[in-house]
Amino acid sequence: MGYNTTFEGQFSISPPVSYATGRLIDALEDERGDGSKMPASYCQWRLATDSILEWDDGEKFYYYVEWLTYIIESILKPNGHLVNGTVNWHGEETGDSGVIRVTDNKVEAVDASSLMTDHDRLKFLLKLEMTANDLSFSPEILKILEK
């Protein structure tokens, strides 16, 4: 079994990576980290081009923030590259989603639930519950949900 997470978006690398640097990153896809220097799972970030890093569409990608940080800190930053971009993640469970932002090599992961106000969270949960139970909204509820 396992847990699947999907990713949308990409990170730009400037300047574009050299062939040698690209080979280092590509080699990580087949590498299982040992947990000491590299995260203890397979890396599923890949180079789409010499200036784009993205998810490889593989299943069961764990430690994705740690792998991204490892690639930036161990390979790209020491070779004079800057990474920037935003990738959204969505897990299998309701509410397991968020954003990974990289700004000038600084990685930040923010869980989507922390971005919502209590009012937004309540509206989201109410819509989810109503949809799951195939219930319709009254006009009064629809007005409240639109605010």
Side-chain angles (χ1 to χ4, degrees):
M1 287 189 76
Y3 188 82
N4 285 313
T5 305
T6 58
F7 302 86
E8 298 167 0
Q10 60 190 18
F11 303 106
S12 63
I13 304 168
S14 178
V17 300
S18 66
Y19 177 78
T21 301
R23 299 262 310 165
L24 288 172
I25 295 170
D26 289 344
L28 292 176
E29 264 198 297
D30 298 323
E31 188 72 34
R32 182 175 171 84
D34 60 8
S36 61
K37 292 181 182 176
M38 293 186 282
S41 68
Y42 290 99
C43 180
Q44 291 177 251
W45 294 117
R46 68 164 180 200
L47 286 174
T49 69
D50 61 359
S51 60
I52 299 292
L53 188 68
E54 67 181 10
W55 173 50
D56 70 0
D57 291 324
E59 61 181 15
K60 298 174 181 62
F61 186 11
Y62 307 115
Y63 303 105
Y64 38 88
V65 173
E66 291 84 352
W67 269 114
L68 180 60
T69 302
Y70 176 83
I71 291 169
I72 292 170
E73 293 297 323
S74 299
I75 299 172
L76 295 172
K77 186 176 175 181
N79 286 292
H81 298 284
L82 278 179
V83 179
N84 288 285
T86 301
V87 169
N88 299 313
W89 87 77
H90 306 278
E92 292 177 348
E93 294 181 10
T94 301
D96 181 14
S97 61
V99 176
I100 304 167
R101 289 187 194 106
V102 179
T103 307
D104 295 337
N105 293 339
K106 183 178 182 286
V107 179
E108 174 189 30
V110 180
D111 188 295
S113 66
S114 67
L115 300 173
M116 289 184 187
T117 64
D118 287 340
H119 180 73
D120 289 337
R121 194 173 296 110
L122 183 59
K123 287 191 326 186
F124 172 78
L125 292 173
L126 180 58
K127 285 180 183 179
L128 188 65
E129 184 68 25
M130 296 290 283
T131 303
N133 291 306
D134 200 26
L135 302 172
S136 60
F137 296 105
S138 70
E140 294 82 17
I141 296 293
L142 287 173
K143 284 181 185 177
I144 292 170
L145 293 175
E146 290 171 1
K147 292 183 183 180

